[in-house]
Amino acid sequence: MTDPHRPEADARPAAVLRGLGTFLPPRVVTNHELSERMDTSDEWIRTRTGIRERYWVEPGTATGDLAVEAGARALKSAGVDTVDAVVLATTTPDHPCPATAPWVAARLGLGRVPAYDIAAVCAGFVYALANAAGLILAGVADRVLVIGAETYSSILDPADRNTAVIFGDGAGAVVLEAGRADEPGALLGFDLGSDGGQHDLIAIPGGGSRQRSGGNPPDPAGSYFTMQGKRVFVQAVTSMGGSSRALLERLGWAGDTVDRLVGHQANVRILHAVADDLGIDRERAIVNLDRVGNTSAASIPLALADAAAAGDLRPGERVLLTAFGGGLAWGSTALVWPDINPNRHHPTRPERWTP
Ligand code: UT7
């Protein structure tokens, strides 16, 4: 009988995960601290979202700085110091123009490689994985550094309790290399989608050509991040569930053969609803949002690294990644977890990195 956890010989080319690195900035912001600043409470935030604390950068630190830290750790984790391309997913680039990725590539000493940003908000990391896998399968690159990095603290309205209690800063990165579909770590397929008819559910309304070409003067209030939480909640559950189901069907994986569900860390109630929908035990849903909040494009790699460090993610396990966010945009991918050594910097939790 074939072992459902071991892919059968499959020589097709694939993008394979070889290294994982993460970085959180030093400043922890607890629910208690926020409840001193706005009309909220630790109890409300914990019971409605599952979040206990998150990390925010100190003034002067930007997304590119976090991306460099995570990227360097991913390269170390993979044991390499060169790549053929850098793909950075972010909603909070250092500047509206140019992209942040070329600066990150230069800071990492990676030379004149192609480097560009992906804008798919909280689904950004899965979109960036698909994009990097495309570069590899098209023969454009043999090795790609994929980074998800955010400084949401720079776009949150400090007076908006609907968003200010939810989002955190951080970065995570992986190294993908050309390999075979039957290797552990091979990305086995993707399901991606969007619904621009609901673009206004998650938005920074001002600062773009829509506002500027309308002749409207710059409006500082319009540069803050906004979210219609309740409507987003429903869309998150249905989109991540539907996308995951489509991918699992294509792979021939039944829900109960998935060892770990690593969903976008927005709300523990969403993660449990998606697990229920897919027939995956809730205990198999990785949760680290209690410690880092919603870190948007950085969420999936941070969850992977924390789970691996805690022993909740082991080589040979079947892992389903699924994410959802503004756009609306969503995406899923799957892999068998490889025997890698994540290099993780978590300011208040011990490191588990052994070179
Ligand atoms: O990362 C991209 C994807 N994002 C998501 O997936 C987020 C999805 N949405 C959510 O996770 C939830 O909708 C939230 C956590 C954002 C909000 O939770 P909710 O249970 O949907 O709350 P709500 O917005 O319906 O608000 C319920 C009540 C309201 O008071 P009333 O009208 O019932 O009196 C809010 O004013 O809770 C109030 N409220 C708060 N109270 C204390 C809203 N935010 C807060 C707060 N502290 N921070």
Side-chain angles (χ1 to χ4, degrees):
M1 203 178 126
T2 48
D3 177 350
H5 288 68
R6 276 182 190 282
E8 295 180 33
D10 185 347
R12 281 176 302 169
V16 181
L17 195 155
R18 302 278 192 223
L20 169 62
T22 59
F23 183 81
L24 291 166
R27 183 168 163 241
V28 64
V29 178
T30 63
N31 291 349
H32 291 291
E33 181 179 337
L34 292 177
S35 61
E36 283 164 15
R37 281 198 238 156
M38 64 182 73
D39 182 18
T40 188
S41 66
D42 173 56
E43 210 255 331
W44 190 95
I45 303 169
R46 263 190 303 104
T47 53
R48 302 312 296 163
T49 70
I51 298 166
R52 291 170 185 274
E53 58 193 34
R54 74 288 291 141
Y55 293 81
W56 285 357
V57 294
E58 299 287 359
T61 301
T63 293
D65 303 314
L66 304 183
V68 166
E69 293 287 350
R73 285 174 172 78
L75 294 170
K76 254 190 190 164
S77 164
V80 300
D81 55 12
T82 61
V83 295
D84 303 314
V86 176
V87 182
L88 169 65
T90 188
T91 319
T92 51
D94 289 5
H95 309 282
C97 168
T100 304
W103 184 85
V104 171
R107 282 286 305 277
L108 288 169
L110 295 172
R112 297 160 70 87
V113 296
Y116 51 93
D117 293 359
I118 296 265
V121 196
C122 299
F125 193 75
V126 175
Y127 268 67
L129 288 177
N131 193 275
L135 292 179
I136 288 170
L137 293 175
V140 176
D142 284 332
R143 185 187 295 149
V144 184
L145 177 62
V146 181
I147 309 173
E150 302 281 16
T151 46
Y152 260 64
S153 59
S154 66
I155 57 167
L156 294 174
D157 178 349
D160 179 9
R161 67 179 183 173
N162 290 306
T163 54
V165 305
I166 289 170
F167 291 90
D169 302 338
V174 298
V175 173
L176 296 184
E177 265 181 8
R180 285 170 49 129
D182 54 6
E183 286 183 71
L187 300 178
L188 298 170
F190 287 92
D191 179 84
L192 305 175
S194 76
D195 177 5
Q198 305 197 66
H199 70 278
D200 55 331
L201 293 192
I202 294 175
I204 298 175
S209 64
R210 183 69 61 195
Q211 180 229 332
R212 285 166 191 254
S213 67
N216 302 315
D219 168 18
S223 66
Y224 285 131
F225 179 89
T226 62
M227 179 171 76
Q228 298 183 36
K230 242 192 174 36
R231 289 176 62 197
V232 170
F233 189 110
V234 175
Q235 293 300 320
V237 174
T238 53
S239 301
M240 285 196 281
S243 172
S244 297
R245 205 170 309 108
L247 179 65
L248 293 180
E249 266 171 31
R250 218 176 311 143
L251 296 177
W253 289 12
D256 61 5
T257 70
V258 172
D259 296 303
R260 296 293 167 195
L261 169 65
V262 183
H264 168 51
Q265 303 286 308
N267 188 317
V268 71
R269 293 184 291 134
I270 293 176
L271 295 174
H272 286 165
V274 172
D276 292 350
D277 181 27
L278 297 172
I280 300 173
D281 286 351
R282 288 183 175 192
E283 301 75 57
R284 294 184 177 193
I286 296 298
V287 178
N288 78 333
L289 60 85
D290 52 324
R291 288 153 278 159
V292 299
N294 181 340
T295 58
S296 193
S299 150
I300 295 259
L302 282 168
L304 288 171
D306 278 357
D312 290 337
L313 190 54
R314 295 186 207 88
E317 289 186 331
R318 278 185 169 183
V319 186
L320 170 64
L321 312 182
T322 187
F324 166 88
L328 304 174
W330 56 85
S332 307
T333 187
L335 69 162
V336 173
W337 192 247
D339 191 6
I340 59 167
N341 191 7
N343 184 346
R344 158 180 172 274
H345 173 78
H346 200 310
T348 58
R349 316 253 154 186
E351 300 239 9
R352 291 279 293 271
W353 160 251
T354 41

